[in-house]
Amino acid sequence: MSSLLDNLNPEQLAAVTLPSQHALILAGAGSGKTRVLTTRIAWLIQTGNASPNGLLAVTFTNKAAKEMLTRISAMLPINIRGMWVGTFHGLCNRLLRAHHRDANLPQLFQILDSQDQLAAVKRVLKAMNVDEERFPPRQVAYFISAAKEEGKRPRDIEVTDEFTRRGVDFYSAYDEQCQKEGVVDFAELLLRSFELLARNEPLREHYQARFRHILVDEFQDTNRLQYRWLRQLAGRDNTLFAVGDDDQSIFRFRGANVGNMAEFEHDYKVQNVIRLEQNYRSHGNILAAANALIAHNSRRLGKNLWTAAGEGEPIRVFEAASDGYEAAWLVEEVQALSREGMAYRDMAILYRSNAQSRIMEHALFSNGIAYRVYGGQRFFDRVEVKHALAYLRLLANPDDDGAFLRIVNFPTRGIGARSIEQLQDAALAASSSLYKAVPSVPGKAGTSLGAFVRIIETLREETRDLPLPEVVGALLEKSGLLAHYQSERDGADRVENLGELVNAAAAFVQEEGEGDLATFLAHAALESGENQAGEGTDALQMMTVHSAKGLEFHAVFITGLEEGLFPHEQSVMEDDGLEEERRLAYVAITRARTRLYLSFAQTRLLHGQTRYNIASRFLDEVPDGLMKWLTPRLGSALSQEPAWQPQAAAPRSSQKDPGHGFRIGQSVAHAKFGQGVIVSAEGSGKDARLQVNFGRQGMKWLALEYAKLVPV
């Protein structure tokens, strides 16, 4: 017994050896929560409080479940094969397999992944003669999944508008089709398991009697239906041991409800709330910054991380003139750390939005630094970017059959497999490319294929004399790619990536001094997946903050700390949105062990336009004494180039008005609105007006005569 409990700190020991009562363990970042959870399971078994088959432990990923089982088997000489330790979906699948008749499912029911589900929805819509332009299949699939995750069948949904009314019809037809085919999607696993236990009292009582101890990992990420499922199994006499961190709840977009933690505490009158606050990962200054930042959130259960490892180094802060300078600085710092002996794999660059990675990837690639995009794809390998590049390839070379096949029916144009087969036969007979064989295809197939060719020909004609970035922009509009992803509920990232492709074209022209489409396509191919660092390679890690959850690195760079980017501009319009953004920043900070870098840029190219920024409010929320500025403090003159550049096509007067002396990109202060950045100007003399981005105070047009702006 002593060996099992050795080296636990007092709070960990208290959590592991709690009597059989409901408990909430607030486990801070790096506080050893997995160790506590697995040791708790081992302790319950070793002391006879539970048998291996008499407890249930649930987490969110298969990787985490395997890790728990591996650790348990290392602690105890038991057979872990029959233990109920797994993800919500995995355990629900196990329950439904064991009781498939009661659940009204065939014994060998199949599970649909997200692509299978989308295909099933498309078949439903086709059978109902529904126009996919009005009701996009992805939106319908999301509507169905969201309803299921709230525990709702079609009859439970309140109809408030036409889309909801039709959505209910689609949901009903989809349910009938799935039932007929004997298949379930991921959301159905949980909902059907919940319904089975709700209506079958003997079965429910059987599992309640069996699982006297229910342990939950990452409790802050549970949605409402998952919490209701847990409550069903817990019954009146069982104990729920919930481990989580409300300060790390960052998956609201997936349905996670951080309020479940407070609800659990209230519903079960939890007397045992244990805070694991000793951090075994980060140095003191990093934790102090995280504590100070998250203290600005009002809706939290509260805890304060600390470490015995000492204060460590100050947090380094860098203000760049532009996103290009930010990327160049990152390369220099990474190279310096490497020279000091730090492995690339121990460094991570974090960003709020996927689209930010492109300019940093280019800088790393150009300097021969191996890197790997964690939990995602490199910029030029992302599916939406590859679709756009395929259009560009076809513009440059109509005989590119690979590009033709990729986009001929994307976005959907009613060109099916049979039409493609006819076209391939015609191309083979004429020994020509698919594109050139289109006029040879008769009937409806020929008409549809001809319409696609006309899109490409029109694009080629209209973009013949345009600069490369404008060619890319026009293509995104005319091809329908932009509209397609804008209509998707989760398409915001893809739209941002398409906008970043315009930026990539602009940067290519600027760097290479030429705007040849074929050369740009060759450049994109060179920077694509073939250069992704292999698994065994020592490579720098790049990822979004969401992907970084659960990971840790010696050195962490948090980039793009600008108002509107991090925190994201949409967050101010959402309930709890700003607090979730702050939790994201807290997660990002607590990934660092020894070195933490924070950076932001005065100007950033987004969606093909230069954006003038002010520093994120999160920088203001970190105490000055913890930070070391690598550049003069906010808003001061930089030793680099100015934060704005005159546009070649823009008249000089649009950049600076000789009547008032202010310039676009200049930092200014206002008595009421605070510090901001000038983003636009109009008029002169007494009629002069400036548009200023005041960050959290918003964008303001100010009459220069009365505003009394002070240069910073």
Side-chain angles (χ1 to χ4, degrees):
M1 178 66 70
S2 62
S3 63
L4 197 64
L5 305 178
D6 284 349
N7 302 318
L8 295 176
N9 68 38
E11 291 75 25
Q12 291 174 334
L13 181 63
V16 166
T17 59
L18 273 173
S20 296
Q21 295 174 344
H22 301 301
L24 177 60
I25 312 301
L26 288 177
S31 64
K33 73 172 179 61
T34 305
R35 183 182 185 191
V36 166
L37 199 60
T38 52
T39 308
R40 169 70 173 176
I41 293 171
W43 182 82
L44 287 170
I45 295 170
Q46 194 174 65
T47 56
N49 283 284
S51 68
N53 294 327
L55 52 79
L56 179 142
V58 58
T59 187
F60 277 84
T61 66
N62 289 317
K63 181 182 176 183
K66 287 177 183 175
E67 172 72 9
M68 287 170 65
L69 285 168
T70 301
R71 291 198 190 193
I72 293 165
S73 66
M75 292 179 188
L76 296 175
I78 60 171
N79 183 359
I80 60 171
R81 187 177 295 274
M83 292 184 69
W84 282 62
V85 176
T87 64
F88 278 99
H89 292 116
L91 295 174
C92 287
N93 174 54
R94 188 168 174 177
L95 184 71
L96 293 174
R97 297 281 177 196
H99 307 284
H100 61 91
R101 289 191 184 87
D102 293 319
N104 195 24
L105 287 170
Q107 184 175 4
L108 299 177
F109 67 84
Q110 298 299 304
I111 300 172
L112 304 177
D113 63 20
S114 56
Q115 290 303 311
D116 294 332
Q117 183 190 19
L118 184 61
V121 167
K122 286 180 177 179
R123 285 191 286 117
V124 167
L125 297 180
K126 185 175 182 180
M128 297 175 73
N129 294 315
V130 173
D131 179 4
E132 290 190 5
E133 293 294 321
R134 284 192 64 203
F135 299 98
R138 287 186 187 276
Q139 284 192 16
V140 174
Y142 170 74
F143 175 88
I144 293 169
S145 294
K148 289 184 178 185
E149 285 169 3
E150 290 178 9
K152 294 179 179 178
R153 290 296 182 191
R155 62 181 178 275
D156 305 316
I157 298 172
E158 182 183 355
V159 176
T160 55
D161 53 44
E162 175 65 9
F163 183 85
T164 306
R165 186 183 70 77
R166 295 305 306 275
V168 169
D169 292 340
F170 303 149
Y171 184 2
S172 296
Y174 172 80
D175 259 4
E176 288 177 18
Q177 177 178 285
C178 289
Q179 187 64 39
K180 182 180 68 177
E181 296 176 1
V183 296
V184 299
D185 56 43
F186 281 114
E188 182 72 18
L189 285 170
L190 188 66
L191 179 54
R192 191 164 300 214
S193 174
F194 174 80
E195 291 171 339
L196 172 62
L197 293 171
R199 69 170 179 267
N200 192 322
E201 187 175 354
L203 191 65
R204 184 172 69 250
E205 289 178 347
H206 164 75
Y207 281 105
Q208 287 173 349
R210 176 175 179 175
F211 299 132
R212 291 298 185 185
H213 293 271
I214 299 171
L215 304 96
V216 192
D217 189 18
E218 304 285 10
F219 190 68
Q220 78 279 351
D221 292 336
T222 54
N223 63 30
R224 291 200 175 276
L225 183 58
Q226 287 163 341
Y227 180 45
R228 289 169 65 192
W229 184 81
L230 290 167
R231 288 187 63 181
Q232 270 188 338
L233 285 171
R236 292 189 306 272
D237 304 321
N238 300 357
T239 63
L240 263 173
F241 185 91
V243 182
D245 183 2
D246 57 326
D247 290 333
Q248 294 189 77
S249 179
I250 60 172
F251 295 115
R252 187 175 53 157
F253 66 95
R254 292 183 191 165
N257 178 33
V258 66
N260 284 347
M261 299 187 80
E263 238 176 89
F264 167 59
E265 193 177 358
H266 174 267
D267 292 345
Y268 287 90
K269 298 178 175 56
V270 176
Q271 297 176 352
N272 293 308
V273 178
I274 296 177
R275 288 169 169 79
L276 304 182
E277 297 173 306
Q278 183 173 359
N279 177 283
Y280 294 93
R281 175 187 302 156
S282 308
H283 283 168
N285 284 336
I286 294 169
L287 298 181
N291 288 333
L293 177 81
I294 203 65
H296 287 79
N297 274 5
S298 58
R299 308 172 191 174
R300 57 190 295 258
L301 299 172
K303 65 183 175 317
N304 221 42
L305 298 177
W306 65 276
T307 182
E311 291 182 356
E313 301 177 24
I315 296 162
R316 293 163 170 82
V317 186
F318 182 80
E319 177 181 12
S322 68
D323 50 355
Y325 280 115
E326 181 186 45
W329 166 76
L330 279 167
V331 166
E332 289 179 5
E333 287 294 328
V334 164
Q335 289 172 329
L337 289 172
S338 177
R339 286 193 297 271
E340 291 173 15
M342 187 180 293
Y344 285 137
R345 69 173 67 88
D346 290 328
M347 310 177 209
I349 296 175
L350 309 185
Y351 35 85
R352 175 63 181 85
S353 165
N354 263 311
Q356 287 172 251
S357 79
R358 199 275 312 167
I359 193 166
M360 292 181 280
E361 285 187 55
H362 177 61
L364 293 167
F365 173 80
S366 300
N367 285 275
I369 297 174
Y371 70 91
R372 186 177 299 112
V373 177
Y374 180 91
Q377 292 175 305
R378 291 166 66 128
F379 179 78
F380 284 112
D381 289 334
R382 291 168 192 162
V383 64
E384 62 278 10
V385 174
K386 289 184 82 69
H387 282 325
L389 290 174
Y391 275 99
L392 290 171
R393 283 165 52 193
L394 209 56
L395 276 184
N397 175 19
D399 294 332
D400 188 335
D401 284 356
F404 184 98
L405 289 170
R406 184 180 187 95
I407 57 174
V408 65
N409 197 40
F410 192 91
T412 307
R413 300 183 178 90
I415 299 172
R418 178 63 188 136
S419 298
I420 298 298
E421 190 179 326
Q422 287 179 260
L423 176 61
Q424 288 172 325
D425 289 343
L428 187 63
S431 298
S432 74
S433 66
L434 297 174
Y435 192 94
K436 288 177 180 172
V438 165
S440 305
V441 180
K444 185 180 176 183
T447 303
S448 300
L449 289 163
F452 170 69
V453 166
R454 280 193 295 278
I455 292 173
I456 302 300
E457 292 296 332
T458 303
L459 265 169
R460 185 178 291 111
E461 184 62 34
E462 291 181 355
T463 60
R464 191 179 304 279
D465 300 317
L466 291 180
L468 181 61
E470 291 183 33
V471 172
V472 178
L475 178 145
L476 297 176
E477 291 282 352
K478 300 284 176 61
S479 66
L481 278 178
L482 210 53
H484 171 80
Y485 289 117
Q486 284 170 339
S487 72
E488 286 189 351
R489 188 249 172 199
D490 296 322
D493 262 5
R494 299 191 187 279
V495 170
E496 286 186 359
N497 285 333
L498 291 176
E500 186 59 26
L501 186 61
V502 179
N503 298 344
F508 174 77
V509 172
Q510 186 176 358
E511 289 174 16
E512 302 298 326
E514 59 177 306
D516 177 66
L517 177 56
T519 311
F520 174 66
L521 290 169
H523 157 79
L526 286 172
E527 289 204 12
S528 69
E530 289 183 7
N531 296 296
Q532 176 86 333
E535 283 303 313
T537 307
D538 178 27
L540 176 74
Q541 305 295 302
M542 297 183 67
M543 66 198 75
T544 64
V545 181
H546 282 102
S547 297
K549 174 85 163 47
L551 303 176
E552 57 184 71
F553 305 91
H554 283 306
V556 168
F557 297 82
I558 305 175
T559 61
L561 279 164
E562 298 136 28
E563 285 293 309
L565 186 56
F566 199 4
H568 198 277
E569 55 198 353
Q570 291 178 352
S571 67
V572 297
M573 297 180 286
E574 299 170 351
D575 182 44
D576 192 44
L578 186 56
E579 295 218 344
E580 176 127 341
E581 289 290 303
R582 193 173 282 110
R583 292 194 291 269
L584 260 178
Y586 175 84
V587 165
I589 289 171
T590 54
R591 300 310 95 197
R593 294 187 193 124
T594 56
R595 280 210 185 180
L596 177 62
Y597 297 84
L598 310 176
S599 67
F600 63 101
Q602 292 180 355
T603 65
R604 187 172 296 276
L605 200 59
L606 282 176
H607 315 305
Q609 295 183 326
T610 299
R611 186 158 111 173
Y612 300 89
N613 310 304
I614 63 173
S616 168
R617 70 190 72 194
F618 297 154
L619 283 166
D620 294 335
E621 295 171 1
V622 175
D624 288 342
L626 300 174
M627 298 190 290
K628 175 184 178 181
W629 285 77
L630 304 179
T631 47
R633 185 65 198 259
L634 291 154
S636 54
L638 296 174
S639 58
Q640 303 148 326
E641 291 187 18
W644 61 280
Q645 297 287 344
Q647 301 298 314
R652 189 70 182 170
S653 60
S654 72
Q655 298 299 325
K656 183 172 180 177
D657 185 288
H660 57 66
F662 288 103
R663 60 173 170 77
I664 293 174
Q666 184 175 3
S667 295
V668 293
H670 185 273
K672 179 179 179 182
F673 303 125
Q675 186 171 308
V677 177
I678 299 171
V679 298
S680 186
E682 64 180 28
S684 61
K686 289 188 176 182
D687 295 324
R689 294 202 314 154
L690 297 178
Q691 188 180 32
V692 184
N693 178 358
F694 287 106
R696 68 192 78 184
Q697 301 292 338
M699 204 81 77
K700 311 287 183 186
W701 274 103
L702 302 173
L704 190 61
E705 187 177 5
Y706 306 107
K708 297 181 180 176
L709 292 173
V710 179
V712 176

